[in-house]
Amino acid sequence: MSDALRCSFPVLGVAAWSGTGKTTLLEQLLPRLREMGLSVAVIKHAHHQFDVDQPGKDSYKLRSAGATPMLIASRQRFALMQETPGQEEPDLAYLLTLMAPHHPDLVIVEGFKAWPIPKLVLYREGIGDPAILSDEWAQAAALTAEPPVALRPSVARLDLNNCEEIARWVSEWADQQRRTLA
């Protein structure tokens, strides 16, 4: 694990340029990891303002009126909304502490490319800067073609179009990390 982020569970970043297919891969990967017996939490970085509640609904009205945090709950789910005025970027270390009470087997972080965490790097030819493949925290690279830059020998090479292969690698990586943390 990274010196900067110590957790009781493995943390794996999925790093790629916009348009590479991070969310599409995760939509396919998460059910497979669940079938393999893993409890996986996800933290997603958004580069824009967003709302999880709807204008006109009580939760929206109360949050707009100053409730901080605002938690809405039902029999099926709950959502905690916290305003973060003046914060330039989300603090991944803090967000990871919010995952601890849930005891995940693995937390996948989508985005947060610059954070010092182990990463599965995705790369599609012609999308973004191939230097992302040289990230010192890269543990594996999932590609659609030959890498345009040399991968470090310790970086596993995966086929971006083979979700089963990626799921096996993630499961094995997470298992190894959990043994190291124990």
Side-chain angles (χ1 to χ4, degrees):
M1 295 298 297
S2 126
D3 291 334
L5 299 175
R6 296 226 182 261
C7 299
S8 60
F9 44 79
V11 176
L12 180 65
V14 174
W17 297 107
S18 180
T20 302
K22 295 182 299 291
T23 302
T24 300
L25 174 66
L26 288 175
E27 284 179 309
Q28 297 168 2
L29 191 60
L30 289 168
R32 286 173 174 83
L33 294 173
R34 187 173 51 249
E35 289 168 3
M36 294 174 166
L38 291 173
S39 167
V40 182
V42 175
I43 297 174
K44 178 175 175 33
H45 183 264
H47 293 284
H48 48 80
Q49 185 174 340
F50 65 93
D51 269 316
V52 295
D53 55 357
Q54 301 294 319
K57 295 291 186 177
D58 290 349
S59 59
Y60 184 92
K61 290 176 184 177
L62 295 171
R63 184 172 54 88
S64 296
T68 183
M70 173 62 209
L71 190 139
I72 182 169
S74 74
R75 288 185 305 197
Q76 296 175 327
R77 70 185 56 93
F78 73 86
L80 176 67
M81 293 163 280
Q82 175 70 51
E83 298 298 317
T84 56
Q87 180 176 303
E88 289 186 28
E89 281 296 319
D91 180 354
L92 181 57
Y94 172 71
L95 296 174
L96 287 167
T97 67
L98 299 176
M99 295 293 143
H102 304 283
H103 307 287
D105 295 319
L106 170 66
V107 173
I108 292 178
V109 177
E110 183 182 338
F112 294 93
K113 283 192 292 271
W115 278 78
I117 58 174
K119 294 180 182 87
L120 166 61
V121 178
L122 312 181
Y123 182 76
R124 256 182 225 287
E125 195 170 1
I127 299 178
D129 185 349
I132 194 170
L133 295 166
S134 302
D135 186 306
E136 68 179 292
W137 290 93
Q139 307 294 299
L143 308 123
T144 55
E146 287 298 313
V149 297
L151 300 177
R152 289 189 333 277
S154 62
V155 175
R157 181 166 173 215
L158 306 169
D159 179 352
L160 183 54
N161 295 318
N162 187 336
C163 190
E164 293 298 328
E165 177 187 44
I166 296 170
R168 276 191 307 276
W169 181 86
V170 170
S171 178
E172 291 168 7
W173 181 87
D175 187 49
Q176 177 187 25
Q177 296 302 305
R178 283 194 310 278
R179 284 194 305 271
T180 302
L181 292 168

